[in-house]
């Protein structure tokens, strides 16, 4: 028994559909690497997901996540900013940036899993649930995907703080700084890919 619920397995199938499409297009999503065994399983999971169903899933997921992000901004970030920084003119760039990055991490870290769950529940047809059967290893694969998403989210939100500070310091006139941040992001992604490759060799 894998311990996977039907909803969790359907979410993994939708994820597999997207990742296999990226792979089949001879592209790579930095930070998301899988072993040959994992790719084979994702290919099997992705087969029952029709192209139209997947497109609908991505649209519904995007709409739900945007709504959650809006709630996070208006119900969390703005109230906290008003409470912590009653005098905007006296607010340091570092404190404001840290709050923004923390809220972004929470919105993505909590909002994305919620949007994935809701969109799967709304879109996944009964035929998909009937076509996919959990096997040993599915729970570990789902946990790996969750960890990869959280890791990339942390990296991106971590870049948000120095990025904002540099834009403020250079008064938006920051062409070279943008380039530096771009190469920093590339370097961090490369490290993430290297770690994923090392873990894949270790598992094989």
């Amino acid at each position: 028994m894998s311990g996977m619920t039907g909803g969790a397995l359907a979410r993994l199938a939708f994820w597999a559909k997207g990742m296999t499409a990226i792979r089949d297009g001879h592209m790579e999503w930095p930070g998301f690497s899988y072993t040959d065994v994992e790719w084979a399983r994702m290919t099997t999971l992705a087969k029952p997901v029709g192209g139209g169903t997947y497109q609908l899933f991505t649209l519904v997921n995007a709409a739900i996540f945007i709504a959650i992000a809006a709630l996070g901004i208006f119900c969390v970030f703005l109230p906290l900013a008003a409470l912590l920084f009653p005098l905007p003119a006296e607010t340091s760039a570092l404190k404001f940036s840290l709050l923004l990055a923390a809220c972004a991490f929470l919105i993505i870290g909590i909002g994305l899993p919620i949007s994935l769950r809701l969109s799967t529940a709304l879109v996944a047809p009964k035929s998909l649930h009937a076509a996919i059967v959990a096997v040993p290893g599915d729970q570990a694969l789902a946990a790996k995907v969750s960890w990869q998403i959280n890791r990339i989210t942390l990296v991106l939100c971590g870049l948000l703080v120095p990025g904002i500070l540099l834009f403020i310091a250079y008064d938006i006139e920051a062409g070279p700084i943008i380039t530096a941040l771009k190469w920093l992001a590339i370097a961090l992604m490369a490290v993430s890919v290297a770690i994923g490759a090392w873990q894949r060799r270790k598992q094989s």
Side-chain angles (χ1 to χ4, degrees), residues 7 11 20 106 113 157 167-168 191:
R11 287 196 302 276
T20 52
L106 288 175
C157 291
F167 275 116
I168 294 174
V191 171

Side-chain angles (χ1 to χ4, degrees), residues 142-156:
K144 180 176 181 177
V145 170
S146 179
W147 156 243
Q148 290 174 331
I149 293 173
N150 290 334
R151 179 178 62 188
I152 292 299
T153 300
L154 183 60
V155 170
L156 294 177

Side-chain angles (χ1 to χ4, degrees), residues 3 16 34 38 51 55 67 73 91 111 116 123 162 165 192:
Y34 303 97
E38 290 168 339
Q55 290 180 355
I73 293 171
T91 301
L116 288 172
V123 173
L165 291 176
S192 178

Side-chain angles (χ1 to χ4, degrees), residues 11-31:
R11 287 196 302 276
L12 187 59
F14 279 121
W15 179 265
K17 183 70 173 181
M19 294 307 296
T20 52
I22 292 172
R23 181 201 59 185
D24 294 343
H26 304 290
M27 297 180 290
E28 183 177 349
W29 201 349

